[in-house]
Amino acid sequence: MTNNNPIGLFDSGIGGTSIWAAIHNLLPNEDTIYLADSKNAPYGEKSKQEILELSCKNTEFLLNQNCKIIVVACNTATTNAIKELRSKYDVPFIGIEPAIKPAATNSKTQKIGILATKGTLNSELFHKNVEKFQDVEIIEQIGFGLVELIESGKINSLEMKDLLKQYLSPMIKANIDYLVLGCSHYPYLIPQIKKIIPSKIHIIDSGQAVAKQTKNILLEKIGLNDASNKNSHTFYTNTNPKVLSEILKNKYHIDFKDF
Ligand code: DGL
């Protein structure tokens, strides 16, 4: 089964490029269209209804470009809107959720930490997921301000360092051995986080799992791209493209679109 239409991805901003990179790595022949809704970031501070409306707008933009599958490269949008998206649109959706399962099942200290947005940690889907792991103590922390700093290109700033120390210290004191990054922006903070936490704490994000799931669904239901020509990757943003361009190492052209 083949299908040469692109994979569509969206996020509240540049963070979902961490998921895009994992997908591109696993599926190098696929065309992709990435939508960074940075104008509306952070989604994590918005209501469920607002997140749903933005997710519908993003989905329709990608469907108008003939995407064969939509990857919701945002934990906040997934945990608040994926159920509604799946019932409203006739296209497969891949979502991203905090990887609690591998952390909880592998933890030796029976204590894990999770850093995510307010929207994700307060969602019904997240609560349902957490309830499955009663034997493990889960230390939740909202990453207030982190997405804003990443979106403004301040990944390596002193402000970032201070916020991370503040958020991670209670987890270190509690003796966690797994730290779950429950926001697609946060993998870009791993070098900073590693300077703060002891090396025995494992850091987990969901990029690889989402990429594998995307591949499986394409194989089973949609079809892979069999074109032999050079594949194309289109990136759209509705703000200044500078930070997105930098995170992509200036390797790809970025289109500004006021969506
Ligand atoms: N990158 C998003 C996530 O995975 C959302 C960040 C935000 O806009 O608050 O949760």
Side-chain angles (χ1 to χ4, degrees):
M1 195 167 31
T2 63
N3 185 325
N4 293 352
N5 287 348
I7 296 174
L9 303 94
F10 75 82
D11 178 39
S12 62
I14 63 174
T17 54
S18 63
I19 308 298
W20 173 87
I23 289 178
H24 177 49
N25 204 19
L26 191 67
L27 296 162
N29 289 332
E30 296 296 319
D31 291 350
T32 61
I33 299 182
Y34 182 91
L35 187 56
D37 188 15
S38 294
K39 189 171 81 181
N40 293 301
Y43 280 14
E45 298 295 311
K46 295 191 181 335
S47 68
K48 181 177 164 68
Q49 186 57 29
E50 285 172 308
I51 297 167
L52 179 58
E53 281 165 21
L54 292 168
S55 300
C56 289
K57 170 191 68 103
N58 297 337
T59 298
E60 283 164 27
F61 182 92
L62 293 170
L63 290 180
N64 284 336
Q65 314 237 6
N66 294 324
C67 291
K68 59 184 172 182
I69 188 167
I70 309 287
V71 179
V72 182
C74 173
N75 293 258
T76 311
T78 301
T79 51
N80 284 276
I82 200 146
K83 201 169 130 207
E84 291 82 354
L85 292 174
R86 286 191 171 126
S87 65
K88 187 166 175 184
Y89 301 100
D90 191 20
V91 64
F93 284 90
I94 306 290
I96 163 169
E97 284 183 64
I100 298 170
K101 190 176 175 186
T105 48
N106 290 311
S107 173
K108 304 259 185 304
T109 62
Q110 299 295 91
K111 290 193 175 90
I112 65 169
I114 164 152
L115 192 60
T117 70
K118 186 168 147 195
T120 294
L121 294 178
N122 287 342
S123 68
E124 207 185 308
L125 202 62
F126 177 76
H127 287 139
K128 270 195 193 151
N129 201 1
V130 161
E131 273 166 25
K132 293 181 209 152
F133 304 99
Q134 306 274 357
D135 297 345
V136 177
E137 188 184 335
I138 301 178
I139 296 147
E140 298 175 16
Q141 174 64 54
I142 297 174
F144 288 116
L146 301 181
V147 167
E148 289 91 325
L149 287 176
I150 296 168
E151 286 289 322
S152 49
K154 294 182 182 158
I155 290 179
N156 295 311
S157 64
L158 200 60
E159 283 156 282
M160 181 65 87
K161 198 172 151 191
D162 288 345
L163 281 182
L164 286 174
K165 269 192 183 156
Q166 184 189 327
Y167 299 155
L168 298 170
S169 297
M171 299 188 190
I172 300 169
K173 279 201 192 105
N175 198 24
I176 63 159
D177 57 355
Y178 278 83
L179 171 64
V180 179
L181 302 182
C183 170
S184 57
H185 280 70
Y186 299 168
Y188 289 114
L189 302 178
I190 290 175
Q192 291 275 61
I193 292 174
K194 282 190 170 162
K195 288 184 196 152
I196 298 170
I197 62 173
S199 56
K200 62 179 184 197
I201 300 180
H202 307 274
I203 303 174
I204 302 198
D205 68 75
S206 316
Q208 310 290 340
V210 171
K212 275 189 202 148
Q213 174 71 353
T214 306
K215 185 175 179 180
N216 289 344
I217 299 292
L218 289 180
L219 282 169
E220 281 166 24
K221 297 191 175 151
I222 309 289
L224 293 170
N225 191 327
D226 72 343
S228 52
N229 54 328
K230 202 174 168 298
N231 54 8
S232 91
H233 301 289
T234 309
F235 293 86
Y236 290 104
T237 180
N238 48 14
T239 54
N240 185 337
K242 187 171 171 281
V243 183
L244 177 57
S245 186
E246 278 168 9
I247 218 133
L248 294 168
K249 308 211 167 13
N250 301 315
K251 272 168 66 183
Y252 299 93
H253 172 73
I254 294 164
D255 282 321
F256 174 79
K257 262 236 154 53
D258 194 17
F259 54 86

